[in-house]
Amino acid sequence: MNKSSFNGSKPIRTFDPVNSKKIMKWIFIGTIVIFVLLILATSYYTVSDKEVAVVTTFGSVTNTTEAGVHFKLPFGIQKIHRVNVEGIHKIELGYVTNEDGSISPIEDESKMISGDFNIVNVDFFIEYKIINAEKYLYSSDNPESVLKMLAQSQIRNVIGSSNVDLVLTDGRENIEIAVKDLIINELQAYDIGVSIYTIKIQDSDPPTDKVRAAFKAVETAKQDSETAENNALSYQEQMMPKADAEADKLLQNAEYLKQSRINQAKEEVALFEAMYEQYILNTEMTKSRMYYETIETILPGVKLYIDTSDGDITKVLPIESFLDLGDK
Amino acid sequence: MKKIIITAVILFILLIVCLLSFYVVEENQYACVLRFEKIINTKNDAGLYFKVPFTDSVTIYPKMVMLYDINPSDVITKDKKTMIVDSYVLWRITDPVTFKKTIGSTKEAEGRLDALTYNFIKTKMGTLNQDEIINMEDPDERNTIYGEILKNVKEGANSYGIEVVDVKIKRFDLPEQNEEAVFTRMISERNKIAQAYIADGHYNASIITNEVDKKYNTIISDARVKAEKTIAEGEAEYMRFIAEAYNTPEKLEFYQFIRSLDALKLSLSGDNKTIILDKDSPLAKILLYN
């Protein structure tokens, strides 16, 4: 192409210093913008209301912030360590809950020996809270593992001083309290920023099926023994009213007999009084009449002998014959 | 253009040098600064520090409490019972310089602590009978035992620049080969308890039943006595009435007369009876008519 040719059109340039300057300018501006954006993007952080954030400046703790949006120095000069201080965290001892909700036992953790040399399987469920974010982050290697092992140790202290019956039945609450107290004591000395919230016995069982059956048999025996006592008590409930009823019957009957005897006396007396009234009007006549009336009633069917003895001789006359005759 | 590139390279090198000259110590760290393998400085506090690049190097050690879980092992008690002991140690570096000189790494420290702790636990357990550990006494007593072990381990680890914070046994169990015997004993104990419950129940039940029977019989027998008394009272009343009714000789005589007639009637009722009369008796006179 001829540079000197003049045909009114602009010559085509492969390098335009004005354009190249513009591009450089835009690259420069772009770099600055990206740089600023980067600064902005790493200059703030948010903290949720469950958390606090520990801010470190070149490794050193300089601030602790609560929920909200906060500024920080960019490029990793200040770092943020969020700690969930509101949440209640859990530790499972003796078992583990799987993703699907099923439970797998961990016998090494649950199997222990009681104070009276019985082996028992006891599962514990522990809840704890983070009470000091800075200590939680920096004063120990792994606060959760420390707490878990301390709990295991103190649980065995308590179970190893308890009667097996208490472990398996009604001593659980006291055991939980005792374990909690011991853990609280030791945790204070550890000072690792966590505090125990609750500790519960999730489950306590005899170790094998055979042993479990033996423990069950004791329960059955207890029930049987109670049943025997209850039966005796219900026998008592049944017999005492029965005794009262029978006694009452005897007394009532006696009262009746007494009264009827008295009435009999009254009747007899009344009858006598009536007869006597007649009698005193004419004693001899009434007597004779009564006498013959009696004879009348008794004589039929009687063999009658009359003693006509004079001195030594006794004659007895049978009057049967003429009595018979008299009847005809 | 060349100038720009040279400037950029110089800036880059300066940046690298700068970065190599600074180091950050976190809150849970110690930093030992070494110049040609010799400790020239230690930093115990977190922050940004300067060092001479290329000649100085920095070794970081943990300042926080470290947890070391010792593997379970057998110990033998004073009364020759084997027990399985599983324990843990909490420790931390207190003097990083001494620590670096004597041990050098946390891995190595764990090995030393393992040996030290196991030894002192074994020694302590060798002075105690099994039932001095497993018993029905205060649970805190075990912590006292652990405290004695801790004291020894602490002293032992002192020369490493380590402070042992705690030693505790988290499992103190019977070896598995002893378990079967314990299970058998547990079962026999339970059977004994079950028998005792049954025997007690029957004993209590029979006490109640016997008491009931006694009360029942007493009530009935008392009632009988009372009933007899009442009946006797009736009899007494009867007598009193009768006696009152025949209180004059005439009445008495009439009564006797009636009673004798009644008696006669009674004795002569029925068949096959015989009467013998004196010939002077009024009836005989009537019958004979002479």
Side-chain angles (χ1 to χ4, degrees):
Chain A
M1 215 164 283
N2 195 349
K3 223 181 172 184
S4 60
S5 70
F6 189 83
N7 52 13
S9 65
K10 271 190 172 179
I12 297 162
R13 291 187 182 180
T14 51
F15 182 75
D16 184 346
V18 181
N19 260 353
S20 115
K21 247 188 188 169
K22 253 188 184 169
I23 289 165
M24 284 299 277
K25 195 180 159 196
W26 279 113
I27 289 173
F28 184 71
I29 290 171
T31 313
I32 298 279
V33 167
I34 288 168
F35 194 69
V36 168
L37 281 177
L38 258 176
I39 290 176
L40 283 176
T42 56
S43 290
Y44 79 93
Y45 63 95
T46 56
V47 180
S48 83
D49 54 5
K50 285 189 293 190
E51 303 166 323
V52 296
V54 174
V55 184
T56 56
T57 312
F58 290 124
S60 171
V61 174
T62 47
N63 199 4
T64 304
T65 54
E66 315 239 314
V69 181
H70 304 277
F71 284 103
K72 70 176 178 77
L73 295 176
F75 303 127
I77 295 170
Q78 284 196 324
K79 282 182 184 159
I80 304 305
H81 312 269
R82 292 182 180 83
V83 179
N84 183 346
V85 289
E86 290 299 325
I88 294 168
H89 311 272
K90 64 168 185 177
I91 296 176
E92 296 169 330
L93 272 178
Y95 68 102
V96 63
T97 309
N98 302 316
E99 301 259 322
D100 60 355
S102 64
I103 284 167
S104 311
I106 304 174
E107 226 194 24
D108 265 359
E109 289 178 357
S110 67
K111 192 166 68 186
M112 50 192 93
I113 187 157
S114 67
D116 52 355
F117 287 86
N118 283 271
I119 293 171
V120 282
N121 283 333
V122 194
D123 294 343
F124 278 86
F125 180 73
I126 299 166
E127 289 179 317
Y128 69 95
K129 279 183 91 165
I130 298 165
I131 48 163
N132 184 320
E134 212 181 314
K135 280 177 180 162
Y136 176 77
L137 288 172
Y138 298 117
S139 63
S140 76
D141 185 14
N142 186 342
E144 169 157 322
S145 294
V146 172
L147 178 56
K148 184 173 176 175
M149 290 195 187
L150 173 64
Q152 277 181 284
S153 148
Q154 300 308 303
I155 283 166
R156 276 183 173 70
N157 284 8
V158 175
I159 302 284
S161 313
S162 299
N163 181 308
V164 66
D165 292 292
L166 293 177
V167 178
L168 292 175
T169 56
D170 49 2
R172 291 187 188 197
E173 205 175 320
N174 286 336
I175 289 168
E176 290 163 358
I177 292 167
V179 171
K180 193 178 177 187
D181 285 350
L182 287 176
I183 294 179
I184 286 172
N185 255 342
E186 301 288 323
L187 260 189
Q188 251 165 10
Y190 286 2
D191 199 20
I192 52 173
V194 294
S195 155
I196 193 119
Y197 189 65
T198 58
I199 178 153
K200 286 261 167 283
I201 293 181
Q202 194 73 357
D203 203 8
S204 61
D205 264 325
T208 67
D209 286 343
K210 272 188 188 169
V211 180
R212 204 170 301 134
F215 272 85
K216 255 197 198 131
V218 171
E219 283 312 303
T220 314
K222 224 189 261 184
Q223 300 294 332
D224 286 354
S225 141
E226 268 172 40
T227 306
E229 281 178 41
N230 284 337
N231 284 345
L233 287 173
S234 78
Y235 176 68
Q236 181 176 36
E237 293 301 314
Q238 181 198 338
M239 288 308 277
M240 287 302 102
K242 193 182 169 200
D244 289 342
E246 279 179 26
D248 189 56
K249 192 180 174 186
L250 281 170
L251 292 179
Q252 293 299 341
N253 190 47
E255 284 294 337
Y256 156 73
L257 288 175
K258 175 183 172 182
Q259 200 53 49
S260 72
R261 193 70 174 138
I262 291 169
N263 289 345
Q264 192 190 348
K266 282 180 181 165
E267 255 173 53
E268 278 178 22
V269 169
L271 187 65
F272 175 78
E273 291 291 347
M275 286 165 81
Y276 185 71
E277 251 172 55
Q278 294 301 313
Y279 168 72
I280 49 164
L281 293 178
N282 193 336
T283 53
E284 281 309 313
M285 203 211 87
T286 309
K287 250 184 171 174
S288 312
R289 182 177 53 80
M290 288 177 76
Y291 174 72
Y292 289 115
E293 273 172 11
T294 304
I295 293 299
E296 268 168 25
T297 56
I298 62 172
L299 267 189
V302 170
K303 285 177 181 161
L304 190 65
Y305 299 89
I306 295 171
D307 178 4
T308 55
S309 62
D310 299 315
D312 303 329
I313 304 147
T314 302
K315 285 180 190 161
V316 178
L317 282 179
I319 58 167
E320 204 170 12
S321 49
F322 65 75
L323 269 178
D324 284 346
L325 279 173
D327 274 354
K328 280 176 184 171
Chain B
M1 196 63 197
K2 234 182 184 177
K3 228 180 177 180
I4 293 172
I5 293 168
I6 289 167
T7 315
V9 169
I10 288 172
L11 275 175
F12 185 73
I13 290 170
L14 273 176
L15 187 74
I16 299 284
V17 170
C18 227
L19 284 177
L20 284 172
S21 305
F22 290 100
Y23 61 95
V24 168
V25 179
E26 303 280 347
E27 286 286 350
N28 51 6
Q29 291 175 339
Y30 290 114
C32 289
V33 186
L34 293 101
R35 183 164 296 164
F36 303 117
E37 304 294 312
K38 188 179 178 306
I39 301 170
I40 55 159
N41 201 357
T42 56
K43 301 289 174 201
N44 296 349
D45 296 322
L48 182 71
Y49 295 101
F50 175 77
K51 71 178 171 77
V52 178
F54 307 112
T55 64
D56 292 359
S57 68
V58 175
T59 307
I60 299 288
Y61 288 122
K63 193 162 75 173
M64 61 194 164
V65 171
M66 306 289 283
L67 172 67
Y68 178 53
D69 186 3
I70 298 178
N71 283 329
S73 54
D74 289 0
V75 295
I76 297 167
T77 59
K78 192 180 168 190
D79 50 346
K80 303 285 174 280
K81 304 246 169 72
T82 305
M83 298 294 291
I84 294 172
V85 164
D86 190 0
S87 51
Y88 70 89
V89 181
L90 292 179
W91 63 284
R92 71 161 172 247
I93 299 166
T94 45
D95 181 352
V97 177
T98 313
F99 182 77
K100 178 153 180 44
K101 281 181 189 162
T102 54
I103 294 183
S105 76
T106 52
K107 189 102 200 113
E108 180 61 25
E110 285 177 349
R112 304 288 173 93
L113 286 169
D114 193 323
L116 208 57
T117 309
Y118 175 60
N119 250 315
F120 282 117
I121 287 177
K122 210 170 74 175
T123 311
K124 182 71 198 172
M125 291 304 159
T127 66
L128 296 170
N129 287 327
Q130 193 184 38
D131 62 5
E132 283 176 86
I133 306 154
I134 300 169
N135 52 43
M136 299 297 289
E137 277 148 43
D138 184 8
D140 207 19
E141 222 162 79
R142 285 199 195 183
N143 286 337
T144 315
I145 297 171
Y146 304 155
E148 285 166 37
I149 296 166
L150 168 65
K151 201 174 138 248
N152 289 326
V153 179
K154 206 175 219 171
E155 273 169 25
N158 205 23
S159 54
Y160 305 138
I162 288 173
E163 185 208 353
V164 176
V165 179
D166 202 8
V167 173
K168 276 199 166 51
I169 292 172
K170 60 182 171 120
R171 270 175 57 207
F172 187 76
D173 289 337
L174 293 169
E176 235 157 74
Q177 60 266 30
N178 291 7
E179 282 179 358
E180 208 42 56
V182 174
F183 295 158
T184 312
R185 198 204 64 229
M186 284 171 78
I187 291 171
S188 67
E189 268 177 15
R190 289 300 122 183
N191 290 344
K192 200 172 73 187
I193 293 170
Q195 288 307 320
Y197 269 122
I198 291 172
D200 268 10
H202 286 295
Y203 173 67
N204 289 341
S206 68
I207 282 182
I208 294 168
T209 317
N210 295 342
E211 172 89 19
V212 168
D213 286 345
K214 187 195 83 183
K215 275 188 189 161
Y216 177 82
N217 291 332
T218 310
I219 289 170
I220 298 297
S221 139
D222 283 353
R224 278 216 177 95
V225 170
K226 225 171 154 190
E228 288 303 328
K229 242 184 212 164
T230 309
I231 292 168
E233 273 168 25
E235 201 58 38
E237 284 288 281
Y238 176 83
M239 305 286 248
R240 197 171 59 76
F241 267 106
I242 299 296
E244 261 173 30
Y246 316 121
N247 52 359
T248 60
E250 292 81 24
K251 278 185 178 173
L252 190 62
E253 194 206 329
F254 182 51
Y255 174 70
Q256 280 164 349
F257 174 67
I258 294 169
R259 288 297 300 160
S260 63
L261 288 183
D262 284 349
L264 191 65
K265 261 189 223 168
L266 271 177
S267 59
L268 288 176
S269 58
D271 300 323
N272 275 331
K273 286 151 310 229
T274 306
I275 294 176
I276 300 168
L277 293 172
D278 188 84
K279 67 175 180 352
D280 295 326
S281 68
L283 189 58
K285 279 179 186 160
I286 294 165
L287 285 169
L288 297 172
Y289 198 65
N290 52 0

